Amino acid sequence: MINLLPQQLGSVVALGAHCDDIAIGAGGTLLTICEQRPGIRVDALVLSGGGTDREAEERAALAAFCPGAELDVTVLKLPDGRLPAHWDEAKNALEDLKQRTDPDLVLAPRTVDAHQDHRGLAQLVPTVYRGYLALGYEIVKWDGDLGRLAAYVPLPDELAEQKVRLLQEHYASQRHRPWYDREAFLGLARIRGIECQQRYAEAFEVNKFVVDLRG
């Protein structure tokens, strides 16, 4: 087991293709970090939903998922489901974010996510944040693209419950979706918890990391 201590984190970048991606995929991780590291800098970039009710949902939700953090949220207006056709805009948005951030951790979608927007954003991350620790979060969906992941963040029972409560509270626009419910979120967290000998956990893809044994 390799432990990344919250005290080692000075800032985090969280990336999402859509409003709610970050909270669904890494909400428990953000809650954990912000609880253990008050005042940490969190820069969130979401590529779509800007200027709609979903942007308001996202801003309120991320404020709740990052309590006590120095939070900056940017929500752009790229069309949902069309990221491949707006590659330059997405790439430029990440480059602009990189110019003002130097994070210790990047949270983003997985590179093998079946949704083209999630996957496209994930593929951009190493071209911009080269050499940074990046964790690729998962989002359960109809496509059945869940796989075997390598990194886990254990979630205490009360924190897993808090994540689900905040998801239900802040994203009213998604409550009608058949997969958007307590059982889905806690069920996946329970499975990932079993895989890391915990009760609940969030799991992540890790593309590359360096093990420095020099002390």
Side-chain angles (χ1 to χ4, degrees):
M1 177 182 294
I2 299 175
N3 292 321
L4 177 64
L5 300 177
Q7 293 78 8
Q8 297 174 305
L9 300 177
S11 65
V12 175
V13 160
L15 304 172
H18 317 101
C19 297
D20 78 16
D21 286 355
I22 295 169
I24 291 174
T29 298
L30 286 173
L31 283 168
T32 301
I33 291 172
C34 293
E35 178 183 280
Q36 298 294 319
R37 184 70 168 77
I40 191 171
R41 173 77 182 187
V42 178
D43 289 277
L45 171 65
V46 181
L47 297 182
S48 64
T52 70
D53 291 343
R54 297 215 65 196
E55 178 178 356
E57 286 183 340
E58 183 75 336
R59 291 185 179 279
L62 291 180
F65 276 100
C66 301
E70 182 185 348
L71 176 65
D72 183 78
V73 179
T74 301
V75 183
L76 303 182
K77 299 181 179 180
L78 272 63
D80 187 357
R82 298 291 187 270
L83 189 147
H86 296 267
W87 191 261
D88 286 348
E89 295 167 73
K91 170 79 168 180
N92 289 338
L94 263 69
E95 293 285 4
D96 290 344
L97 180 63
K98 177 63 176 64
Q99 292 301 312
R100 60 180 190 273
T101 59
D102 185 25
D104 300 295
L105 174 64
V106 178
L107 299 170
R110 298 182 304 141
T111 56
V112 294
D113 194 296
H115 194 296
Q116 67 271 16
D117 292 353
H118 301 170
R119 186 173 62 252
L121 174 56
Q123 291 168 349
L124 282 171
V125 171
T127 73
V128 177
Y129 284 99
R130 184 179 297 273
Y132 287 77
L133 174 61
L135 298 181
Y137 57 74
E138 60 182 345
I139 297 177
V140 65
K141 62 179 74 66
W142 172 88
D143 307 85
D145 62 353
L146 300 178
R148 188 171 185 177
L149 301 180
Y152 297 85
V153 175
L155 305 179
D157 290 14
E158 62 275 14
L159 196 144
E161 293 281 359
Q162 182 183 5
K163 173 184 174 177
V164 173
R165 177 177 57 80
L166 291 176
L167 286 171
Q168 293 291 346
E169 177 181 334
H170 287 284
Y171 294 105
S173 66
Q174 305 304 298
R175 292 177 193 152
H176 69 284
R177 298 185 182 278
W179 55 268
Y180 197 91
D181 60 31
R182 169 188 168 83
E183 289 181 329
F185 298 132
L186 278 184
L188 179 58
R190 181 71 184 103
I191 291 170
R192 296 313 190 188
I194 291 170
E195 294 173 351
C196 66
Q197 297 183 317
Q198 302 290 327
R199 181 158 181 80
Y200 295 114
E202 287 178 340
F204 298 87
E205 172 189 84
V206 181
N207 180 46
K208 182 184 295 187
F209 65 91
V210 177
V211 179
D212 189 345
L213 302 177
R214 295 174 297 178

